[in-house]
Every structure is written in structure tokens, then in C-alpha cells.
Amino acid sequence: MAFAEKLLTVPPPIEVAGRRIKRYHVTADPAGIAPDVEEAAYAILPKLLPEPDGTPPATFVVLHRGGDDGAYLNAYSWVWDNVLHFRGASAGQPVLGCPDRDPTHFITPDLPWIGCVWELPPILHERDAWVRHVLMPDTPDLDGYLVDSLPEGTTGDLS
């Protein structure tokens, strides 16, 4: 199987359970992620978020539609000032314990995985954006952080 980068889109931020959520969508489909898959993914998102701990309430998510039936939602939340909390959900992927191949039937597998090669590119950008907008200034700029996203295009430099 030859490797190919996937398409990366950046929908506007949303608020869920008191947290501001930056969003990245990854898919090989130029039409994007189907609305029913997106709706199901964001419906499970509150279960993936940590309790508030005094850190500015920000999370970034990667919603990835695989090349098969799989759909994956990775939630990376800032906690303890400078630490990423991870929790993920999967749908349509029996290998991960999903009960069926329905890409809208999300479960939360208890796996130590943080993302596949197409889901990882936002992490470096988000680390640098968090330092720029939240850790370096005298007063954290959560709004500045929320608008500082990885550019749309592909998941990496290879295409």
C-alpha cells in the first residue's frame, strides 16, 4: 500500500462543556466528512473532556474519516497549565472493539494510542500556539490561541 497524505480542513472553533474546541478534520474524500459522522463524533465529545483544573479551558480535536468504515475522534485538552490530556473515540472499526462497521456508532476504547500518522500533524502546531498565546504572555490570550490553527491543505509535506 502506497502512503498518501490526506486532506486537512479547519472548521471554526466550538464550545462544548465549557471548553473552547479547535477542530481539525482529516479525510481522503474531497467532499469532507459526512454530516452524520461529524454530528455523531461531536455528540460523544463531552465524554472525552477532562474536568476543569484552572488551566484555560481549551481543547483541540482531530476528526479523521478513514479509508474504510472507520471514523476517529481524538481530543487533546490542555490541563495542568502545559500538559496534553488525551482521550479518543472510534466508530466502524472492529479491530478497535467497535461493535459494528457503522461510522456514526462511536465508542471509547481504552487504548494507549494518541493518533495515527494523519492525525499527528496538528500536535506540533498546537504546542507552539499554546506557548505563544497562553504560556509566554503575562496574560493568557485564549482568543488568540483559538484563531491560531494549522493551515488547511494536506496532513503533511508529502503529496
Side-chain angles (χ1 to χ4, degrees), residues 70-152:
Y72 315 94
L73 180 65
N74 295 343
Y76 305 95
S77 299
W78 291 105
V79 297
W80 203 38
D81 191 40
N82 59 14
V83 173
L84 271 181
H85 169 279
F86 171 78
R87 188 101 196 265
S90 302
Q93 184 53 265
V95 171
L96 299 181
C98 297
D100 53 45
R101 294 195 169 274
D102 180 353
T104 67
H105 187 189
F106 280 86
I107 63 160
T108 55
D110 186 23
L111 295 170
W113 303 349
I114 64 165
C116 75
V117 296
W118 295 287
E119 298 161 355
L120 295 177
I123 292 175
L124 177 59
H125 176 86
E126 292 301 319
R127 179 262 182 214
D128 292 345
W130 189 254
V131 169
R132 269 192 305 277
H133 298 287
V134 177
L135 298 181
M136 287 181 65
D138 291 335
T139 303
D141 179 11
L142 188 55
D143 290 333
Y145 169 74
L146 290 169
V147 298
D148 187 344
S149 294
L150 190 64
E152 291 190 349

Side-chain angles (χ1 to χ4, degrees), residues 11-23 38 42 45 57 59 61 146:
I14 57 175
E15 188 168 324
V16 175
R19 293 187 79 84
R20 312 269 300 273
I21 313 289
K22 292 172 75 171
R23 301 184 297 161
E38 182 178 353
Y42 290 121
L45 182 56
T59 295
V61 298
L146 290 169

